[in-house]
Amino acid sequence: MVISLATARRLAIAGQQLAGHDGSASPPDADAVLALVHRLGCLQLDPIQAVARSPLLVLWSRLGSYRPELLDSLLWERRALFEYWAHAASIVCTEDYPLHRLRMRTYPAPETLEGRRVRQWLADNAGLRRRTLLALRRRGPLPARELGGPAAVAWSSPGWTDGRTVDRLLFFLWRQGRVLVAGRQGGHRLWDLAERWLPPTTPRGRLSTPNAVRCAAERSLRALGVARPGHIRGHFTSGHYPGLPAVLRQLQARGRIVPVEVAGPTGALPGPWYVHADDLPRLERLADQPAPPRTTLLSPFDNLIRDRPRTRLLFDFDFRMEIYVPAAQRRHGYYVMPILHGDRLVGRLDPVLDRRQQRLRLRAVHLEGDPAAAAALAGPVVGAIQELARFLGARTIAAGPEVPAAWRRGLA
């Protein structure tokens, strides 16, 4: 089966639940938020809040207006979500606990140099580990500052973690699934024993490695829409798909995934590419009659654009995080939100929320391709910006001189 590059993009956008939402419908409830997180697989966490917490923006891009407190309720009250490692520190579904247990029970990996180092360090600090777990059992949940004691070997690193012995210990225990984040206090994580924090409804069955990889691979492919094996491996339970080639062959033999060829402007894109069998009806609809174009803004940590090479390949969009780049060397801005319009990424917006003034400031806009497209995009992009401002509770929008004039008039 051969599909066009445009169809591949549409399928990727649909797989990420970005194809549209009904603005006239009732605001989503907690179950709708939970269903979306389950479909996406994970929401990346990041401390930067120039606009809002990234998970809130990822949900907003797909759901439109919703109550942000629903996410905290799902995390800390219902415990239907928990924080764990996907491709980075993320929010994942408690329902998916058996899939994440595969990483938990094999961390740290003994076949890697870093894994062997962590294993030895944990062995050297067995006493500190026991004291930490005992303190959590007796007094948890606790912040890191209330844990610790003398370490046999302090953690050393050339980076920012150097000397952060307790933090590193908790991080490693978290990766092993022994402790989990049980809440936050003034921006600091509260830690507790996983066995106590996870709700009674948590599925505790232990999946075999092939079954865990099969389930995760199917989930990854459905979230991606269309993908190469490397894309699947880098998504959802990122980097933890042992035996993936054999699993993909089995899934293809069973008819669960279907190989496709993606036809680019100069020939077929390097493959193989796969589509999940459950998405074939959607593929046929998108190829014959594309969905009406929708415009929204994406968190710089959005699942759609996290895989930078894949984003370049499908969207011809080279996205780079410049948060940690010196200001004078930034090309596009500090907290850049890509602009999704239809099946293309058409530009980048550099916004910041002034919470005191309740003002959303637009510092710069950078459009892809022909600058003359700015006027045609004015209506849909201005609408997306206004929708974001309402979600953030901003009363006004201030557009800088680098924002196209047609957009400034619409925002006035």
Side-chain angles (χ1 to χ4, degrees), residues 45-282:
L45 293 164
D46 191 87
I48 297 169
Q49 299 187 45
V51 176
R53 286 187 289 155
S54 181
L56 298 179
L57 292 175
V58 172
L59 295 175
W60 167 80
S61 295
R62 292 151 174 84
L63 296 173
S65 178
Y66 73 100
R67 292 187 292 119
E69 60 269 22
L70 292 176
L71 184 61
D72 284 340
S73 175
L74 288 166
L75 273 165
W76 314 125
E77 296 172 18
R78 287 177 54 178
R79 303 187 187 184
L81 303 172
F82 70 101
E83 295 185 10
Y84 190 60
W85 191 267
H87 56 271
S90 301
I91 295 170
V92 298
C93 289
T94 307
E95 178 186 344
D96 292 331
Y97 180 71
L99 298 179
H100 297 291
R101 277 194 72 187
L102 177 60
R103 191 193 299 267
M104 292 173 181
R105 67 178 184 249
T106 57
Y107 182 85
E111 64 270 16
T112 68
L113 181 62
E114 180 64 13
R116 290 192 294 273
R117 181 195 178 207
V118 171
R119 282 180 176 242
Q120 184 60 55
W121 187 82
L122 289 172
D124 292 340
N125 286 293
L128 176 62
R129 175 179 172 275
R130 283 193 300 270
R131 290 193 301 273
T132 299
L133 293 174
L134 181 60
L136 290 176
R137 185 173 299 280
R138 290 176 173 173
R139 301 189 292 118
L142 295 170
R145 65 177 178 272
E146 294 187 30
L147 296 164
V153 180
W155 179 258
S156 63
S157 164
W160 66 272
T161 63
D162 186 51
R164 300 172 69 100
T165 298
V166 175
D167 285 341
R168 286 291 89 189
L169 175 65
L170 289 167
F171 176 78
F172 298 144
L173 292 173
W174 176 59
R175 294 287 296 272
Q176 289 178 331
R178 297 297 307 276
V179 304
L180 289 177
V181 180
R184 292 183 181 267
Q185 186 180 76
H188 296 284
R189 291 176 290 189
L190 297 176
W191 297 95
D192 203 355
L193 299 178
E195 64 194 56
R196 183 164 61 200
W197 189 86
L198 289 168
T201 54
T202 304
R204 307 276 180 163
R206 177 167 172 157
L207 294 174
S208 68
T209 297
N211 280 339
V213 173
R214 177 185 57 79
C215 291
E218 289 196 63
R219 290 279 300 283
S220 179
L221 179 56
R222 293 216 67 193
L224 291 166
V226 58
R228 297 164 56 177
H231 303 156
I232 295 171
R233 184 179 292 109
H235 204 73
F236 188 31
T237 57
S238 177
H240 210 73
Y241 290 87
L244 180 62
V247 167
L248 293 177
R249 288 193 296 270
Q250 292 167 2
L251 288 171
Q252 184 176 343
R254 296 173 187 171
R256 295 297 295 159
I257 65 174
V258 178
V260 297
E261 180 180 302
V262 179
T266 60
L269 299 186
W273 293 82
Y274 296 102
V275 171
H276 197 279
D278 291 349
D279 286 330
L280 289 178
R282 171 184 281 172

Side-chain angles (χ1 to χ4, degrees), residues 325-377:
V325 174
Q329 299 175 24
R330 291 180 192 136
R331 181 181 174 191
H332 295 115
Y334 175 72
Y335 194 87
V336 172
M337 299 184 71
I339 303 169
L340 177 66
H341 175 70
D343 64 8
R344 300 305 300 260
L345 293 166
V346 298
R348 309 154 205 256
L349 180 70
D350 179 20
V352 63
L353 177 63
D354 184 335
R355 292 172 174 83
R356 173 178 284 185
Q357 300 292 328
Q358 294 182 297
R359 178 180 298 139
L360 181 63
R361 291 196 295 116
L362 312 180
R363 295 183 288 200
V365 170
H366 302 272
L367 293 176
E368 301 288 302
D370 185 2
L377 290 170

